[in-house]
Amino acid sequence: MGKMKCKPNQSITQRTGQPGETEEEVVQDTNHSDHSLHVLYNEEDSMVEGNQQEKEGLDNNRQPQEPKRTPDTSENIRRKKVKWPNNKSKSEWQQFDEDVDAILNTTLAGNIDRKIESMTSFIYNIGMDRFGADEKEVVRREGQKNRRESKIAKMRKDLRQLKKRYNQASEDEKPALSELRDTIRKKLKITRRAERTRKRRKKREKARAQFTSDPFQFTSRLLGKKGSGQLKASKEEVEEYLREMHSDPKREDELPDIEQLIRPEDPEQVFDESPPKLKEVVDVIKKGRAASAPGPNGVPYKVYKNCQRITRRLWKLIRVIWRRGRLAESWHKAEGCFIPKEEKSETLKQFRTISLLNVEGKIFLAILAKRMTNYMLSNEYIDIAVQKGGVPGVSGCIEHTSVLSQIIREAKDSKGELAVVWLDLANAYGTVPHKLVELMLERYHVPDGVRELIKSTSTICS
């Protein structure tokens, strides 16, 4: 230990907790990377009570150590996508699940932030070594002509040759060549019409299939504005723009008294503060799109959809985060991309920002959002006759669009006057004071622990 300049192991106290779950603990990880983590204990996947009492609870006298970042998690390096196998490759996924779980079972140690970061790093690195990078090359191939297209090309060629013969023919031969030319033109016209009909039918079938698979994306591409251009802004300008858009410099300032704010009655159904259940995690993963882009750690929903052991291990870590009341450090990170709103976009305001968060954090926040929705609806804090967005089981867009269409139709039939105004608030969510969100959560009797958990999601923007 003296030669390696390692610090002596600190005392580790045994705490009583839920079997199969771990809390933050102090281990000797300051001078070691993720690849040299030593074994403290084995996490068993079986949830049988009494199998093993694991270390749980964060010592109040010791602060959790900052998780070290391996070179492949550098903020300046964007990870390549792993060429994960398709969902039908059950044997490959099962072997990958077992191998990763066995490695994590013997190497995963440290505080909860480090465990989550190490787990995702192992998943990504093993997946990259085993399946390779997903480097899709666009191969341009000349389309093969079908029978009718080949026939059209042949008739066009015959007409060109017939024109040359007609110019060189005598007066006696020209009537026959002219009749033959008219016959070929008539057949060419019929064949072209049939080919156009076939192409329109094929185009409709393709559009119908695209709409069925993803109606939102199809409609957005069909009716939305075409965006193009390249962002011309320095890194400093982008960081300052994002800070202004997403931060609230007055978040600690007290709000003035607002008489319009309602004061709801005490809830009849209390907020569910129990740690997330395995079923809740699985339900969120099932609803997640397998083709969705992963976050900075490179792990997509697809891994958790096909790996039950890894999902169970993630569930245990999520329970620890829930009890701690503060999000993992890696869940605050996001990969941002700018999508042009209009053609020839150049300035920052002409682009739409999209942030790709880590899947593990999105699963956690989805569970929290669902519990918040159930709490608000069960206590009738939300009037679904007015507020339809974000309410499960209510097609708000369809209902509002139908009502608006009916009003316009009635005004048109009666030849009356009607004014329709569309309001688009610039940075609608970013302009809401953070203190107002905290105040409304308190007025709606949301428990203190949940409020602190929600507040921790916005600390990165401060």
Side-chain angles (χ1 to χ4, degrees):
M1 292 175 63
K3 292 180 180 180
M4 298 300 295
K5 298 181 180 180
C6 295
K7 297 180 181 180
N9 286 330
Q10 301 182 23
S11 60
I12 302 176
T13 57
Q14 182 76 18
R15 294 179 180 271
T16 305
Q18 296 294 329
E21 300 172 11
T22 60
E23 272 286 4
E24 295 189 355
E25 56 194 2
V26 178
V27 296
Q28 180 188 347
D29 58 359
T30 305
N31 300 305
H32 298 277
S33 64
D34 291 340
H35 301 287
S36 62
L37 294 174
H38 59 279
V39 180
L40 283 183
Y41 51 84
N42 293 333
E43 279 188 323
E44 298 296 334
D45 285 328
S46 174
M47 297 306 296
V48 180
E49 294 292 335
N51 280 350
Q52 182 181 7
Q53 295 294 334
E54 307 229 353
K55 300 174 179 63
E56 182 176 325
L58 178 63
D59 196 323
N60 295 329
N61 298 325
R62 293 172 293 181
Q63 297 296 328
Q65 300 179 7
E66 179 69 19
K68 298 181 69 175
R69 295 176 175 84
T70 54
D72 54 8
T73 60
S74 175
E75 296 178 355
N76 299 324
I77 300 177
R78 186 174 185 179
R79 288 183 166 183
K80 295 182 178 180
K81 290 185 178 180
V82 179
K83 190 177 181 181
W84 301 103
N86 56 41
N87 296 330
K88 295 182 180 180
S89 304
K90 300 297 182 182
S91 58
E92 289 186 85
W93 280 115
Q94 183 177 0
Q95 188 63 43
F96 177 79
D97 188 18
E98 294 175 356
D99 294 344
V100 173
D101 183 70
I103 294 174
L104 295 177
N105 199 40
T106 57
T107 60
L108 200 62
N111 57 42
I112 186 62
D113 295 297
R114 183 173 186 127
K115 285 183 179 180
I116 292 177
E117 194 166 353
S118 299
M119 184 185 74
T120 54
S121 296
F122 277 120
I123 294 173
Y124 176 83
N125 293 331
I126 296 174
M128 182 63 72
D129 293 339
R130 183 167 300 186
F131 307 117
D134 187 8
E135 299 177 354
K136 296 181 180 179
E137 297 182 358
V138 179
V139 181
R140 298 183 180 273
R141 297 179 180 178
E142 185 178 356
Q144 185 178 0
K145 296 180 180 180
N146 58 23
R147 178 182 58 82
R148 189 180 288 114
E149 289 176 336
S150 301
K151 187 177 180 181
I152 291 174
K154 184 177 181 304
M155 285 189 287
R156 286 176 176 174
K157 183 178 180 181
D158 292 342
L159 285 175
R160 288 193 297 267
Q161 294 176 354
L162 191 61
K163 183 178 181 180
K164 293 180 180 179
R165 287 177 56 188
Y166 184 85
N167 294 333
Q168 299 173 359
S170 61
E171 294 297 331
D172 295 337
E173 295 176 343
K174 284 186 177 181
L177 294 176
S178 179
E179 183 179 356
L180 179 60
R181 181 189 60 187
D182 295 339
T183 303
I184 295 177
R185 284 180 175 176
K186 185 177 181 180
K187 290 182 178 180
L188 179 61
K189 184 178 180 180
I190 296 174
T191 308
R192 281 177 172 175
R193 186 185 298 115
E195 181 62 16
R196 287 196 298 268
T197 303
R198 184 193 69 83
K199 288 183 176 180
R200 284 197 298 267
R201 182 175 66 253
K202 188 176 181 179
K203 185 178 180 180
R204 287 196 300 268
E205 292 175 354
K206 184 179 179 180
R208 189 181 299 112
Q210 292 176 349
F211 177 78
T212 303
S213 61
D214 195 340
F216 178 79
Q217 184 179 7
F218 178 82
T219 307
S220 177
R221 185 170 57 251
L222 181 65
L223 303 178
K225 295 182 180 179
K226 295 182 179 180
S228 63
Q230 185 175 3
L231 179 62
K232 296 182 179 179
S234 63
K235 181 180 178 181
E236 292 75 15
E237 291 176 345
V238 173
E239 291 178 349
E240 182 63 26
Y241 174 78
L242 294 176
R243 188 179 297 108
E244 292 179 358
M245 291 288 290
H246 300 291
S247 64
D248 183 9
K250 299 181 179 180
R251 64 173 301 167
E252 300 302 333
D253 297 348
E254 295 295 333
L255 294 175
D257 293 336
I258 305 176
E259 299 180 356
Q260 291 80 2
L261 294 180
I262 62 175
R263 296 182 178 275
E265 299 179 355
D266 293 341
E268 297 181 0
Q269 301 291 334
V270 296
F271 195 100
D272 186 5
E273 296 184 78
S274 62
K277 302 176 179 60
L278 178 61
K279 185 178 183 303
E280 292 180 287
V281 176
V282 173
D283 289 343
V284 173
I285 293 174
K286 286 182 178 179
K287 292 182 179 180
R289 293 177 61 249
S292 61
N297 60 21
V299 181
Y301 279 109
K302 197 172 188 178
V303 173
Y304 298 106
K305 284 178 177 288
N306 294 278
C307 300
Q308 297 181 358
R309 294 173 181 265
I310 299 177
T311 300
R312 181 179 288 271
R313 189 175 293 277
L314 173 64
W315 164 61
K316 296 176 183 179
L317 299 178
I318 286 178
R319 290 171 64 91
V320 177
I321 292 292
W322 183 279
R323 289 196 297 269
R324 186 179 72 169
R326 178 165 49 87
L327 297 184
E329 296 295 333
S330 60
W331 294 355
H332 287 298
K333 301 177 183 177
E335 282 187 352
C337 57
F338 291 83
I339 300 178
K341 298 180 182 179
E342 52 194 70
E343 295 188 40
K344 299 180 180 180
S345 300
E346 294 182 355
T347 62
L348 285 166
K349 293 184 178 181
Q350 293 177 309
F351 285 80
R352 180 183 297 106
T353 57
I354 293 181
S355 300
L356 301 177
L357 296 169
N358 288 330
V359 166
E360 298 77 20
K362 291 165 66 176
I363 294 173
F364 181 90
L365 294 176
I367 295 173
L368 178 60
K370 187 175 180 180
R371 289 193 177 185
M372 178 66 71
T373 302
N374 294 337
Y375 171 76
M376 299 295 288
L377 292 176
S378 61
N379 292 288
E380 298 183 354
Y381 287 152
I382 297 178
D383 186 3
I384 60 176
V386 178
Q387 173 64 35
K388 298 184 182 296
V391 179
V394 178
S395 300
C397 293
I398 296 178
E399 291 187 18
H400 283 257
T401 304
S402 300
V403 171
L404 185 60
S405 300
Q406 180 64 25
I407 294 174
I408 295 175
R409 189 180 301 109
E410 292 177 356
K412 184 178 180 180
D413 294 340
S414 62
K415 298 181 180 180
E417 295 182 356
L418 177 65
V420 180
V421 180
W422 300 94
L423 296 178
D424 185 10
L425 300 179
N427 191 20
Y429 289 101
T431 53
V432 177
H434 291 184
K435 202 67 176 180
L436 179 60
V437 177
E438 298 177 20
L439 175 61
M440 296 313 297
L441 290 174
E442 181 181 356
R443 289 203 175 190
Y444 278 96
H445 313 288
V446 177
D448 296 341
V450 178
R451 295 207 307 269
E452 289 298 323
L453 192 57
I454 295 174
K455 185 178 179 180
S456 69
T457 63
S458 62
T459 54
I460 195 65
C461 298
S462 300

